Coordinates of all heavy atoms in Angstrom, one line a residue:
Chain A
Q59 N 5.8 -8.9 -3.9 CA 5.2 -10.2 -3.3 C 3.9 -9.8 -2.6 O 2.9 -10.6 -2.6 CB 6.2 -10.8 -2.3 CG 7.3 -11.5 -3.0 CD 8.3 -12.1 -2.0 OE1 8.2 -11.8 -0.8 NE2 9.2 -12.9 -2.4
K61 N 2.1 -7.1 -3.1 CA 1.3 -6.3 -3.9 C 1.0 -4.9 -3.3 O 0.0 -4.3 -3.7 CB 0.0 -7.0 -4.2 CG 0.1 -8.3 -5.0 CD 0.5 -8.0 -6.4 CE 0.9 -9.2 -7.2 NZ 1.7 -9.0 -8.3
K72 N 16.2 3.1 0.2 CA 16.7 1.8 0.6 C 17.6 1.2 -0.5 O 18.4 0.3 -0.2 CB 15.5 0.9 0.8 CG 14.9 1.3 2.1 CD 13.6 0.6 2.3 CE 13.1 1.1 3.7 NZ 11.7 0.9 3.9
R118 N -1.7 -13.8 -20.9 CA -1.9 -15.0 -20.1 C -2.1 -16.2 -20.9 O -2.7 -16.2 -22.0 CB -3.1 -14.8 -19.2 CG -2.8 -13.9 -18.0 CD -3.8 -14.2 -16.9 NE -3.3 -15.3 -16.1 CZ -2.4 -15.1 -15.1 NH1 -2.0 -13.9 -14.8 NH2 -2.0 -16.1 -14.4
N123 N -0.8 -20.6 -14.4 CA -0.5 -20.6 -13.0 C -0.7 -22.0 -12.4 O -1.7 -22.5 -12.2 CB -1.5 -19.6 -12.3 CG -1.0 -19.2 -10.9 OD1 0.1 -19.6 -10.5 ND2 -1.8 -18.4 -10.2
Q126 N -1.7 -22.6 -6.9 CA -3.0 -22.0 -6.5 C -2.9 -21.8 -5.0 O -2.7 -22.8 -4.2 CB -4.1 -23.0 -6.8 CG -5.1 -22.3 -7.7 CD -6.4 -23.2 -7.8 OE1 -6.8 -23.8 -6.8 NE2 -7.0 -23.2 -9.0
R163 N -22.3 -15.7 0.4 CA -21.9 -16.3 1.7 C -20.6 -15.7 2.3 O -19.8 -16.3 2.9 CB -21.6 -17.8 1.5 CG -22.5 -18.6 0.6 CD -23.9 -18.7 1.2 NE -24.7 -19.7 0.5 CZ -25.5 -19.4 -0.5 NH1 -25.6 -18.1 -1.0 NH2 -26.2 -20.3 -1.1
Y189 N -6.2 -1.7 -4.9 CA -7.2 -2.3 -5.8 C -8.5 -1.6 -5.6 O -9.3 -1.4 -6.5 CB -7.4 -3.8 -5.4 CG -6.3 -4.7 -6.1 CD1 -5.5 -5.4 -5.3 CD2 -6.2 -4.8 -7.5 CE1 -4.5 -6.2 -5.9 CE2 -5.3 -5.6 -8.1 CZ -4.5 -6.3 -7.3 OH -3.5 -7.1 -7.8
E214 N -4.2 -3.1 -13.7 CA -4.0 -4.5 -13.8 C -5.2 -5.1 -14.6 O -5.0 -6.2 -15.2 CB -4.0 -5.2 -12.5 CG -2.5 -5.2 -12.0 CD -2.4 -6.1 -10.7 OE1 -3.3 -6.9 -10.4 OE2 -1.4 -5.9 -10.0
T215 N -6.3 -4.5 -14.6 CA -7.4 -5.0 -15.4 C -8.1 -3.8 -16.0 O -7.5 -2.7 -16.0 CB -8.4 -5.7 -14.5 OG1 -9.4 -6.3 -15.3 CG2 -9.1 -4.8 -13.4
Q228 N -22.7 -14.5 -16.6 CA -24.1 -14.4 -16.8 C -24.5 -15.0 -18.1 O -25.7 -15.0 -18.5 CB -24.6 -13.0 -16.7 CG -24.3 -12.4 -15.3 CD -25.4 -11.6 -14.7 OE1 -25.3 -10.4 -14.7 NE2 -26.4 -12.3 -14.3
Chain B
D138 N -25.5 -16.4 -10.5 CA -24.7 -16.9 -11.6 C -23.3 -17.2 -11.1 O -22.7 -18.3 -11.5 CB -24.7 -16.0 -12.8 CG -26.0 -16.0 -13.5 OD1 -26.7 -17.0 -13.4 OD2 -26.3 -15.0 -14.2
G162 N -29.6 -21.2 1.8 CA -29.6 -22.5 1.2 C -28.4 -22.7 0.3 O -27.8 -21.8 -0.2
E175 N -9.2 -18.6 -10.1 CA -8.5 -19.0 -11.3 C -9.1 -18.4 -12.5 O -8.4 -18.0 -13.4 CB -8.7 -20.6 -11.3 CG -7.5 -21.3 -12.0 CD -7.8 -22.7 -12.1 OE1 -8.4 -23.3 -11.2 OE2 -7.4 -23.3 -13.1
E178 N -8.1 -14.7 -12.7 CA -6.7 -14.4 -13.1 C -6.6 -14.1 -14.6 O -5.7 -13.4 -15.0 CB -5.8 -15.6 -12.8 CG -5.3 -15.6 -11.4 CD -4.6 -16.9 -11.0 OE1 -4.7 -17.9 -11.7 OE2 -3.9 -16.8 -9.9
Y180 N -8.4 -12.3 -16.2 CA -8.8 -10.9 -16.5 C -7.8 -9.9 -15.9 O -8.1 -8.7 -16.0 CB -10.2 -10.6 -16.0 CG -11.2 -11.6 -16.7 CD1 -11.5 -12.8 -16.1 CD2 -11.8 -11.2 -17.9 CE1 -12.4 -13.7 -16.7 CE2 -12.7 -12.1 -18.5 CZ -13.0 -13.3 -17.9 OH -13.8 -14.2 -18.5
R182 N -3.8 -8.4 -15.5 CA -2.4 -8.4 -15.9 C -1.6 -8.3 -14.6 O -0.8 -7.4 -14.4 CB -2.1 -7.2 -16.8 CG -2.6 -7.5 -18.2 CD -2.3 -6.2 -19.0 NE -3.1 -5.1 -18.5 CZ -4.4 -4.9 -18.8 NH1 -5.0 -5.7 -19.6 NH2 -5.1 -3.9 -18.3
R183 N -1.8 -9.2 -13.7 CA -1.2 -9.2 -12.4 C 0.2 -9.8 -12.5 O 0.3 -10.9 -13.1 CB -2.1 -10.0 -11.4 CG -1.6 -10.0 -10.0 CD -2.7 -10.9 -9.3 NE -2.4 -11.3 -8.0 CZ -3.0 -10.8 -6.9 NH1 -3.9 -9.8 -7.1 NH2 -2.8 -11.2 -5.7
A184 N 1.2 -9.2 -12.0 CA 2.5 -9.7 -12.0 C 2.6 -10.9 -11.1 O 2.2 -10.8 -9.9 CB 3.5 -8.7 -11.6
F187 N 7.0 -13.5 -7.1 CA 8.0 -14.6 -7.0 C 8.3 -14.9 -5.5 O 8.2 -14.1 -4.6 CB 9.3 -14.2 -7.7 CG 10.4 -13.7 -6.9 CD1 11.6 -14.4 -6.8 CD2 10.3 -12.4 -6.2 CE1 12.6 -13.9 -6.0 CE2 11.3 -12.0 -5.5 CZ 12.5 -12.7 -5.4
R204 N 15.6 -5.6 5.0 CA 15.0 -4.3 5.3 C 13.6 -4.4 5.6 O 13.1 -3.7 6.5 CB 15.2 -3.4 4.1 CG 16.6 -2.8 4.2 CD 16.9 -1.8 3.1 NE 18.3 -1.6 3.1 CZ 19.0 -1.7 2.1 NH1 18.5 -2.0 0.9 NH2 20.3 -1.5 2.2
Q208 N 11.8 -3.2 9.0 CA 10.7 -2.2 9.0 C 9.6 -2.7 9.9 O 9.0 -2.0 10.6 CB 10.2 -2.1 7.6 CG 10.5 -0.8 6.9 CD 9.9 -0.7 5.6 OE1 9.4 -1.8 5.0 NE2 9.8 0.4 5.0

Side-chain angles (χ1 to χ4, degrees):
Chain A
Q59 284 175 352
K61 295 287 168 203
K72 287 168 182 167
R118 285 204 84 87
N123 197 3
Q126 240 193 37
R163 320 292 194 266
Y189 278 118
E214 272 189 20
T215 186
Q228 304 221 252
Chain B
D138 287 337
E175 210 185 323
E178 274 173 349
Y180 301 89
R182 284 176 295 278
R183 182 181 170 109
F187 101 111
R204 277 184 193 126
Q208 252 184 342

